[in-house]
Amino acid sequence: MSKIIAITMGDPAGIGPEIIVKALQSDVLKNVHSVVIGSAKLLEKQLKMGLFNNVSINVIDHVNKATFKPNVINVIDMKLEDIDSLKPGTLQPQAGDLAYRCVVKATELALNGDVAAIATAPLNKEALHSAGHMYPGHTELLAKLTNSKDVAMVLYTDTLKVIHVTTHVSLRNFLDNLSCERIEKVIKIADDFLKKVGIKQPKIAVAGINPHAGEHGLFGDEEIKFVIPAIEKMRNQGVDAIGPCAPDTVFLQAHQGKFDIVVAMYHDQGHIPLKLLGFYDGVNIAAGLPFIRTSADHGTAYDIAWQGVAKPDSMIESIRLAELLS
């Protein structure tokens, strides 16, 4: 049986519906079997806007009813509370609620073995919260739905891969709650993830926190207290972890092939270099879940939503990788 990828719509007031439709018409994905979890009516609207006259929507109630033919988009229909009142480019509770329900449904399918992996279109955290779903983002929501304790965000391109010790927390919270244990877990998640995707002996760079990785305590002692002990413990367990590495050079070194992945300590430390090098084709992967989950590595882009100008590159790559890695 061919692998089936579940694609969640994300926030319907954003660019999710558009980039999904565009992605599924790409030659890159012509042999990928997929099922969209989202509003069928909104996808039909996108087809009309994009002049995809030869494409049809096949509404199904289960993946086993899907028809994998060219120019057919299979959809498990998740209805909006009031589709006529949806305002593109605007934060709305019903949009956040739909995004949430799509992820819940896709997770259910993945846990049941009905789909091999999930590729998620962007959701908006404020819209999610306005609907009463108090999660910082996809990664935390998926961890809760799957009872996964050790999960980390991986940003993935062909030439640079970054995994995060922390993501959606303030710098103050990050520093106050930093621990050897969390750094050790993320190094282990990185090692396991890379081996799962075919890298037999991963070489893992661990970024420092302070300028020049602290300069032996001259610019801060967090490396001495937390980073070095975590690296040493993981090396004793056979993991090829190197560091602490100076944050201002380690990402370039990884991009040039010296390392397979960089362990970034906080959100912007890892996101800035990755998005500089791979803004349009970078993919977000939640490592540590019981299944592969990928996502377009950008936001809902309310400023260009439903205008027909959104680029589907990252969505295409996330669906391709979901199929390849699962």
Side-chain angles (χ1 to χ4, degrees):
M1 180 179 177
S2 297
K3 292 184 286 188
I4 300 173
I5 309 304
I7 304 170
T8 62
M9 178 170 280
D11 190 312
I15 61 172
E18 179 184 343
I19 61 175
I20 288 173
V21 167
K22 287 180 175 178
L24 293 180
Q25 303 315 303
S26 164
D27 287 341
V28 176
L29 302 179
K30 62 182 179 181
N31 294 319
V32 175
H33 290 179
S34 63
V35 172
V36 178
I37 317 296
S39 167
K41 287 187 177 180
L42 289 181
L43 290 176
E44 287 172 352
K45 284 187 176 182
Q46 281 293 337
L47 290 177
K48 292 176 182 177
M49 288 180 62
L51 301 178
F52 294 109
N53 297 322
N54 60 335
V55 181
S56 62
I57 300 294
N58 179 36
V59 178
I60 57 177
D61 57 12
H62 194 274
V63 294
N64 60 15
K65 305 286 183 61
T67 300
F68 301 114
K69 294 180 179 179
N71 300 327
V72 173
I73 299 177
N74 297 290
V75 183
I76 293 180
D77 192 19
M78 307 293 285
K79 299 185 186 301
L80 274 166
E81 180 183 341
D82 183 2
I83 194 168
D84 293 329
S85 69
L86 182 75
K87 296 179 181 178
T90 305
L91 190 150
Q92 299 146 89
Q94 69 163 338
D97 185 60
L98 179 74
Y100 170 81
R101 289 186 286 114
C102 289
V103 175
V104 172
K105 180 62 176 179
T107 301
E108 174 190 319
L109 293 171
L111 291 175
N112 289 340
D114 296 316
V115 298
I118 299 173
T120 58
L123 54 73
N124 183 286
K125 298 171 184 63
E126 287 187 70
L128 192 69
H129 293 178
S130 72
H133 308 298
M134 308 307 290
Y135 298 93
H138 271 120
T139 302
E140 297 82 1
L141 171 56
L142 287 160
K144 177 68 173 179
L145 292 173
T146 59
N147 295 315
S148 300
K149 293 182 179 180
D150 297 330
V151 178
M153 179 189 293
V154 174
L155 300 183
Y156 190 109
T157 71
D158 286 341
T159 59
L160 179 62
K161 297 162 187 64
V162 179
I163 190 168
H164 293 71
V165 172
T166 60
T167 49
H168 301 117
V169 298
S170 70
L171 281 174
R172 179 75 275 152
N173 274 342
F174 156 67
L175 289 169
D176 288 343
N177 293 286
L178 187 63
S179 69
C180 291
E181 291 76 16
R182 175 59 182 171
I183 299 171
E184 292 162 13
K185 285 179 181 178
V186 173
I187 294 172
K188 182 65 165 61
I189 293 169
D191 191 59
D192 290 343
F193 170 75
L194 291 175
K195 287 176 179 174
K196 184 175 182 179
V197 301
I199 300 174
K200 294 181 179 180
Q201 295 180 311
K203 200 171 188 66
I204 301 168
V206 182
I209 298 163
N210 298 295
H212 307 292
E215 287 276 19
H216 306 288
L218 184 63
F219 303 132
D221 61 1
E222 285 82 6
E223 286 81 9
I224 296 170
K225 288 182 176 179
F226 304 111
V227 183
I228 293 173
I231 292 171
E232 290 178 346
K233 183 172 180 179
M234 297 315 298
R235 287 187 66 83
N236 289 336
Q237 294 181 17
V239 177
D240 190 5
I242 298 95
C245 303
D248 60 351
T249 56
V250 69
F251 297 97
L252 176 61
Q253 291 171 335
H255 176 62
Q256 293 173 337
K258 185 174 181 179
F259 306 110
D260 295 306
I261 197 167
V262 179
V263 175
M265 290 292 144
Y266 52 91
H267 184 281
D268 282 12
Q269 186 186 65
H271 276 65
I272 290 171
L274 195 293
K275 290 195 174 183
L276 178 65
L277 292 169
F279 185 81
Y280 291 113
D281 60 355
V283 174
N284 181 325
I285 301 175
L289 298 175
F291 48 80
I292 291 291
R293 172 264 173 175
T294 64
S295 180
D297 185 33
H298 53 68
T300 48
Y302 279 165
D303 58 320
I304 59 168
W306 289 82
Q307 295 176 28
V309 297
K311 293 180 180 292
D313 306 48
S314 186
M315 193 75 233
I316 292 170
E317 187 64 8
S318 68
I319 298 168
R320 186 189 73 82
L321 271 179
E323 200 274 341
L324 180 67
L325 302 178
S326 60

